[in-house]
Amino acid sequence: MTTTPPDDAPQIRVIAMPADANPAGDIFGGWLKAHMDQAGASVAFRTARGRVATVAVDAMTFHLPVHVGDEVSLYGKLLGTGRTSIRVHVEAWRRDRTTEDAARVTEATFTFVALDEAGRPRPVPAA
């Protein structure tokens, strides 16, 4: 397993709080997925130069738990574009609040579609 986060700056960084956890102190997967969606959307917004919507999440893998107090950094990497679609690989990394040790906890590929003002699919602008 990779033990060093990507060199790029994270799209989002957030602290896991008690309201985001089950009684054992483990963060809910849905909380993590929502932040991953936001990180992927940040990459997709810039690529589409406008509005996007999530249409699919593929191969989401939970490697390790996230605990209350962990700092979670979310990294997004553009995988490619189609006529109206944008695929972004997102990794979530945790750092314990008392150390510098980091670990990849979750990863998934998100597919977004570029939308026009009326909410209809539109072509992704050329790079």
Side-chain angles (χ1 to χ4, degrees), residues 51 53 55 83-85 113-124:
R51 185 177 173 190
V55 295
R83 192 178 77 74
T84 63
S85 65
V113 65
L115 301 173
D116 65 17
E117 296 79 24
R120 293 183 302 262
R122 67 169 171 84
V124 174

Side-chain angles (χ1 to χ4, degrees), residues 28-45:
F28 293 118
W31 178 88
L32 193 53
K33 184 179 176 186
H35 286 291
M36 292 175 72
D37 193 12
Q38 290 174 352
S42 180
V43 174
F45 289 142

Side-chain angles (χ1 to χ4, degrees), residues 1-2 18 22 28-29 41 44 47 54 58 72-73 78 93 100 103 118 127:
M1 175 178 287
T2 305
N22 64 26
F28 293 118
T47 303
T54 308
D58 299 323
V72 180
S73 298
L78 178 67
W93 286 73
E100 293 300 314

Side-chain angles (χ1 to χ4, degrees), residues 44-65:
F45 289 142
R46 289 193 310 278
T47 303
R49 296 188 207 133
R51 185 177 173 190
V52 298
T54 308
V55 295
V57 181
D58 299 323
M60 185 162 219
T61 305
F62 292 92
H63 301 291
L64 297 168

Side-chain angles (χ1 to χ4, degrees), residues 2 18 21 27 30 38 40-41 48-49 67 70 77 86 90 94 104 108:
T2 305
I27 299 303
Q38 290 174 352
R49 296 188 207 133
H67 305 288
D70 286 349
K77 178 181 176 185
I86 301 161
V90 179
R94 68 167 289 283
R104 184 176 57 197

Side-chain angles (χ1 to χ4, degrees), residues 9-34:
Q11 300 299 317
I12 296 173
R13 201 172 258 154
V14 65
I15 303 295
M17 300 300 286
D20 308 317
N22 64 26
D26 296 322
I27 299 303
F28 293 118
W31 178 88
L32 193 53
K33 184 179 176 186

Side-chain angles (χ1 to χ4, degrees), residues 87-109:
R87 289 178 39 99
V88 180
H89 185 76
V90 179
E91 292 185 1
W93 286 73
R94 68 167 289 283
R95 184 181 61 80
D96 183 90
R97 66 179 171 247
T98 60
T99 70
E100 293 300 314
D101 295 337
R104 184 176 57 197
V105 293
T106 308
E107 61 184 309
T109 299

